[in-house]
Amino acid sequence: MFTFREQTQVDDLGNGVTRRILAHGGGMMAVEVTFEKDAVGPLHHHPHEQLTYVLSGRFAFTIDGETHEVSAGDTLYKKPDVVHGCVCLEPGVLLDTFTPQREDFINP
């Protein structure tokens, strides 16, 4: 399956955050999330495994009560149901991979 960026939809999540579903099917999904400086990804949890790759920018990420600053090239792993969130310190873009795919993103 091919997904061409120019054919994907950008969803404005508000407060300086946008989301673009890049590809999904079966048991996994790739999502690009763009943050303006000081935008917040609020603490939350979900039943999916998640990998986050920092494409650009700088973020303070909290995972299971532990906070670290991350930047381009860093990767974060979130177990199912672990509480996590971030604050954007410098404008940036994250690539999130979920398994299974986030049905709540596809069918809100």
Side-chain angles (χ1 to χ4, degrees), residues 10-20 31-42 59 86-88 92 94 96:
V10 176
D11 296 315
D12 187 347
L13 304 181
N15 301 313
V17 182
T18 62
R19 174 175 63 212
R20 180 187 301 266
V31 178
E32 179 185 272
V33 187
T34 302
F35 287 79
E36 295 176 4
K37 184 181 185 316
D38 299 323
V40 175
F59 298 82
C86 68
V87 175
C88 184
L94 304 174
D96 285 329

Side-chain angles (χ1 to χ4, degrees), residues 35 46 48-64 66-80 82-87 93-98:
F35 287 79
H46 45 74
H48 312 81
E49 280 186 281
Q50 178 180 352
L51 283 176
T52 297
Y53 180 75
V54 183
L55 293 169
S56 63
R58 198 165 52 90
F59 298 82
F61 254 96
T62 301
I63 302 173
D64 201 20
E66 187 175 340
T67 302
H68 290 279
E69 191 173 302
V70 297
S71 57
D74 293 333
T75 306
L76 305 94
Y77 171 72
K78 296 118 179 180
K79 294 179 184 179
V82 71
V83 175
H84 59 281
C86 68
V87 175
V93 180
L94 304 174
L95 176 61
D96 285 329
T97 304
F98 297 97

